[in-house]
Amino acid sequence: MTDKITVKNLFKIFGEAPDAALQMLGTGATKEDILDATGATVAVQDASFSVAEGEIFVVMGLSGSGKSTLVRLLNGLIPATFGQILIDGQDVVQTRGEALREIRRNTITMIFQHFALFPHWSVADNVAYGLKVKGVPATERRDRAMAVLDQVGLAPWADSLPGDLSGGMQQRVGLARGLASDPQVLLMDEPFGALDPLIRREMQDELLTLQKTLKKTIVFITHDLNEALLLGDKIAIMKDGRFVQIGTAQDIVSRPADDYVQAFVADIDRGRVFTAGDVSSDPVTAQLHGDSAETTLRRMEDASLDALYVLDGDTVSGLVTHRDLSAALHRDGPGDATLTPSLITDFTTVDEGTYLHELYGPAGIGLPIAVTDGDDRLTGVVAPEAVLAQLDNEAAAAPAPRMEDAR
Amino acid sequence: MSPADLITIPFDDWINAFVRGWLVPNFRPVFRAAQVPVTVVLNNLNAFLLFVPMILTTAAFALAAWRYAGRGIAIFTILGFAFIDMIGLWPETMTTLAMIVTSVLFCALIGLPLGILAARSDTFWRILRPVLDVMQTIPSFVYLVPIVMLFGVGMAPGIIATIIFAIPPMVRLTNLGIRNVRGDLTEAARAFGSTEWQMLWDLQIPLALRTILAGLNQTLMLALSMVVIAALIGAGGLGLIVNTGLGRLDVGGATAGGVGIVILAIVLDRITQGLGEGSKAGTLSVGQVLTRTLRGRGAAPVDATVTGPVARN
């Protein structure tokens, strides 16, 4: 994947003397020192990152961390003080006037926390706003607005006023407006922050569904780490205008860069961050028709397992437990005992991408969970203890030697 | 002991020297030329209103009143206009109406762009605001004299005095209305690449319209209150009737003229108010706008933004 957005050493300093403040930053002065000395406020400090095409890049931070400023630097609503913002190689920082407006019309659109819909225009006209600015004729505008409204499920409300819609619906209109001019980059400034929790979940899922087909490059701002972890292909944690850590959801949760990130991570639901692939181990198996109960039992003991999966060729036929096999061995004698009578065929299979919170139920039974690939081949086994260990945030060690390839 | 013992300032002489000695000789032709458009509009409008039969004019006003202000005002319009006709003041009333419409038209033509500029530039607004304050507080008799010197006497100078007196609310409320458009909406317009003109046209004027119309209504009322004063420098119409009555101690004549003005004022006020309330686009009610404007000239425009996005970071 190629990088759509590349940001290098981006600074934004509000106030009279940005150059002096920039120099002080160079000598290692803190934000407070600079405010005292020059009256300038450092909003974004030395931000560098890149966003690949089709990726959702989430910037997470609390109020005052500079995240809303950062997103407005990307489309030049706030001019940057220093640095580079390359979108398809064009530097937004150096672009002004009509050329900048061209970028906003064709390449980058924005979705706002408080929707920012025009109250005196119908939903369809709002959606078509970007097209109107571009000078697209009225009938074509209407057609394209209707197509996008259809996508977000609001076609029947095309002629309503935004004020007549609920918050969630209004933000769908906001989303449709952002999509109507078919931009390559979407900037989303806490788009779900003003919605109540249930609607927020619904919108997050809908965004993920839409993104599967749209494949836009998205920069998403939020103050909610759970939202960041759910949506972000890559997540940047921002504090006092700088990036504290950039990484995947698993990176952030399993290897927090400092105490600040650690404090956030402590509260999150790890079951929604880690997947079966993250906690599975390589399978120890037996062949249904090749291995005897005795050899299987020994293999289990060698690997100190209570149960293992039995394969018939390549396909999983079931699992056997140490207790059942011992009983069978005792009953039938070492020479005759086979695996078949002890085979438990009622087992759970999941794929690598299944989130752990869906495994709590199966793990509670106490049997290992089979991780299979698209062809039903066993690729790993999740021990129930591994799932439950993730529930304990403090104790959970980095689970993930396989983390990188899990994504 | 007072400062006057030490130094006296011949302020009146200075003004005299400035106006008579410099302004009038050098710029009289310029000012004369400037009143031409006013004269043209006024004369045509006056001729038109005098030409249209009383019944037709009344019907038109009653219809507008019914449409924008309700049935009561429509009935009042018919009865009121009939009364004016019956006391024999119809032609004077139409002349007054022509003067007022002309004044308000020019107030809007000048005030709207000034208000828009003021909303866009804090510097311009800082300069303009004291000028508007002076225009609203200075007694109108004070500028009648220089106006006569520069423009002469007659209808057009009367209208120019009226414009000076009546334009401030138009500018103020246009400025206020545009400044009160929610910041996140203008930001959204910018984020979608609109030009300043597109933003003004698509967003700011429509959303400020209700406030602007409230300004227009105030301007209209102020223009009406100048009718009598403007008659002192040769403007005709109902003001002339009142002044003549005053000069001859003719209580009946003055009262008749006064009643005519009141009837006209009520009809025009209700129709334009209804116009403002009818436009749904506004974010503030006319009442809110008025209380705000009356409460404090200083505090009004910027901090009155109620609905801007909360807590940006």
Side-chain angles (χ1 to χ4, degrees):
Chain A
M1 272 195 287
T2 53
D3 284 342
K4 189 81 186 170
I5 307 172
T6 308
V7 173
K8 287 179 197 157
N9 308 106
L10 189 64
F11 288 82
K12 176 64 202 182
I13 295 160
F14 290 106
E16 301 288 320
D19 292 337
L22 207 57
Q23 258 174 355
M24 285 186 72
L25 276 178
T27 62
T30 66
K31 276 176 78 166
E32 289 73 25
D33 294 342
I34 291 167
L35 185 63
D36 287 342
T38 66
T41 308
V42 181
V44 175
Q45 210 181 131
D46 202 12
S48 296
F49 61 92
S50 59
V51 186
E53 194 161 354
E55 192 175 62
I56 301 184
F57 182 79
V58 178
V59 180
M60 186 263 159
L62 300 181
S63 310
S65 62
K67 58 192 194 301
S68 283
T69 305
L70 177 74
V71 77
R72 282 167 176 75
L73 296 177
L74 297 182
N75 63 355
L77 280 180
I78 298 175
T81 309
F82 180 83
Q84 267 191 327
I85 302 167
L86 300 173
I87 293 179
D88 286 333
Q90 189 182 3
D91 190 353
V92 176
V93 178
Q94 302 301 331
T95 313
R96 299 270 185 282
E98 185 61 18
L100 187 57
R101 281 194 289 272
E102 276 300 312
I103 294 180
R104 292 175 189 161
R105 282 174 208 147
N106 299 317
T107 316
I108 309 178
T109 58
M110 192 162 176
I111 290 151
F112 297 86
Q113 180 177 12
H114 297 282
F115 325 136
L117 301 174
F118 299 168
H120 57 304
W121 280 5
S122 73
V123 165
D125 286 345
N126 264 288
V127 172
Y129 180 65
L131 303 170
K132 183 166 196 260
V133 169
K134 274 205 243 186
V136 175
T139 47
E140 194 185 331
R141 269 191 336 241
R142 170 94 190 173
D143 291 346
R144 280 170 63 183
M146 289 310 290
V148 183
L149 277 173
D150 213 32
Q151 242 177 337
V152 299
L154 280 184
W157 282 272
D159 295 311
S160 310
L161 286 175
D164 300 336
L165 270 53
S166 70
M169 287 159 93
Q170 289 192 38
Q171 194 54 300
R172 276 168 214 257
V173 179
L175 186 61
R177 177 174 67 178
L179 293 173
S181 43
D182 197 25
Q184 296 144 42
V185 178
L186 275 179
L187 305 178
M188 306 181 80
D189 181 22
E190 296 198 46
F192 308 143
L195 306 176
D196 51 46
L198 278 179
I199 308 290
R200 193 181 312 158
R201 272 311 301 235
E202 204 178 288
M203 293 293 289
Q204 288 163 353
D205 291 339
E206 186 158 329
L207 178 66
L208 286 173
T209 315
L210 275 172
Q211 173 66 355
K212 276 187 190 136
T213 51
L214 295 173
K215 301 250 186 288
K216 302 287 182 196
T217 307
I218 298 176
V219 178
F220 191 104
I221 305 294
T222 183
H223 60 255
D224 174 358
L225 186 61
N226 278 314
E227 185 168 74
L229 296 172
L230 176 73
L231 298 175
D233 293 314
K234 232 194 287 172
I235 297 160
I237 311 273
M238 212 172 169
K239 185 196 174 198
D240 293 338
R242 13 165 115 252
F243 282 173
V244 184
Q245 185 174 9
I246 304 181
T248 62
Q250 287 87 343
D251 287 340
I252 304 266
V253 174
S254 57
R255 286 191 290 270
D258 62 8
D259 292 347
Y260 183 75
V261 182
Q262 174 74 55
F264 273 116
V265 168
D267 285 339
I268 60 105
D269 180 358
R270 305 169 76 96
R272 292 182 191 276
V273 176
F274 293 106
T275 60
D278 293 330
V279 295
S280 69
S281 45
D282 289 336
V284 177
T285 58
Q287 278 296 333
L288 183 62
H289 300 297
D291 292 318
S292 70
E294 193 180 7
T295 50
T296 307
L297 203 57
R298 201 170 307 127
R299 193 172 299 159
M300 233 185 268
E301 278 159 5
D302 288 347
S304 59
L305 294 171
D306 293 331
L308 54 69
Y309 274 91
V310 178
L311 304 182
D312 184 7
D314 269 343
T315 58
V316 185
S317 45
L319 65 145
V320 288
T321 64
H322 189 276
R323 205 181 59 190
D324 291 349
L325 275 192
S326 310
L329 208 60
H330 186 69
R331 192 175 61 233
D332 301 336
D336 300 328
T338 60
L339 295 176
T340 319
S342 310
L343 198 65
I344 301 167
T345 51
D346 181 17
F347 59 92
T348 312
T349 55
V350 296
D351 64 36
E352 280 197 343
T354 309
Y355 283 103
L356 289 191
H357 71 93
E358 292 173 45
L359 302 187
Y360 293 154
I365 299 167
L367 294 175
I369 299 158
V371 181
T372 53
D373 64 10
D375 300 325
D376 282 334
R377 272 197 298 268
L378 190 69
T379 59
V381 170
V382 176
E385 310 84 70
V387 175
L388 298 175
Q390 287 299 322
L391 280 174
D392 183 359
N393 287 343
E394 297 299 321
R402 297 165 49 114
M403 192 171 57
E404 259 67 45
D405 52 28
R407 275 247 135 197
Chain B
M1 178 68 185
S2 73
D5 297 338
L6 295 173
I7 200 163
T8 50
I9 298 172
F11 188 69
D12 48 351
D13 291 344
W14 291 356
I15 300 292
N16 275 332
F18 170 70
V19 175
R20 286 201 196 143
W22 185 73
L23 198 63
V24 174
N26 290 318
F27 289 96
R28 199 179 161 95
V30 178
F31 283 99
R32 287 274 164 152
Q35 74 182 42
V36 170
V38 174
T39 314
V40 170
V41 172
L42 178 68
N43 288 346
N44 285 312
L45 201 61
N46 193 25
F48 173 76
L49 286 172
L50 289 174
F51 167 78
V52 177
M54 180 265 169
I55 299 285
L56 262 181
T57 309
T58 306
F61 270 85
L63 204 68
W66 179 62
R67 171 89 174 69
Y68 294 111
R71 205 176 49 179
I73 297 299
I75 294 169
F76 176 84
T77 305
I78 295 169
L79 295 179
F81 281 17
F83 179 75
I84 289 173
D85 192 47
M86 287 186 281
I87 61 175
L89 290 180
W90 185 256
E92 285 81 4
T93 305
M94 285 305 101
T95 301
T96 295
L97 183 62
M99 286 170 60
I100 285 166
V101 172
T102 310
S103 313
V104 170
L105 183 75
F106 280 95
C107 281
L109 283 180
I110 302 164
L112 201 65
L114 280 180
I116 291 168
L117 283 176
R120 299 174 56 86
S121 156
D122 286 337
T123 316
F124 184 61
W125 178 230
R126 266 200 297 275
I127 298 166
L128 192 62
R129 215 166 78 184
V131 176
L132 294 179
D133 289 342
V134 168
M135 284 164 79
Q136 271 186 311
T137 46
I138 198 167
S140 38
F141 287 99
V142 172
Y143 50 82
L144 284 186
V145 182
I147 281 179
V148 170
M149 285 178 165
L150 290 167
F151 295 97
V153 291
M155 295 276 255
I159 287 188
I160 285 163
T162 307
I163 292 173
I164 294 172
F165 182 72
I167 205 170
M170 189 72 216
V171 182
R172 279 184 199 285
L173 290 183
T174 303
N175 171 56
L176 177 69
I178 289 181
R179 281 179 188 258
N180 271 352
V181 171
R182 278 163 48 195
D184 61 332
L185 297 185
T186 51
E187 186 178 50
R190 261 193 210 106
F192 280 88
S194 65
T195 61
E196 297 294 314
W197 277 113
Q198 284 173 323
M199 189 158 78
L200 190 67
W201 197 246
D202 289 338
L203 190 67
Q204 291 174 318
I205 289 183
L207 287 180
L209 192 61
R210 199 163 165 173
T211 314
I212 294 173
L213 285 174
L216 193 77
N217 173 268
Q218 291 219 321
T219 291
L220 188 77
M221 292 299 105
L222 288 181
L224 263 161
S225 69
M226 269 297 276
V227 162
V228 178
I229 295 165
L232 290 176
I233 56 168
L238 292 170
L240 188 63
I241 303 286
V242 175
N243 275 333
T244 314
L246 195 66
R248 295 181 189 156
L249 293 179
D250 172 8
V251 181
T255 310
V259 168
I261 293 173
V262 168
I263 292 171
L264 197 60
I266 292 174
V267 171
L268 291 176
D269 178 50
R270 293 301 137 83
I271 293 176
T272 49
Q273 252 184 39
L275 218 64
E277 277 152 20
S279 78
K280 276 179 280 179
T283 46
L284 292 168
S285 77
V286 177
Q288 272 176 301
V289 171
L290 292 187
T291 25
R292 230 164 246 178
T293 334
L294 293 175
R295 200 171 46 209
R297 297 200 172 120
V302 183
D303 59 12
T305 316
V306 262
T307 45
V310 207
R312 172 138 306 152
N313 45 62

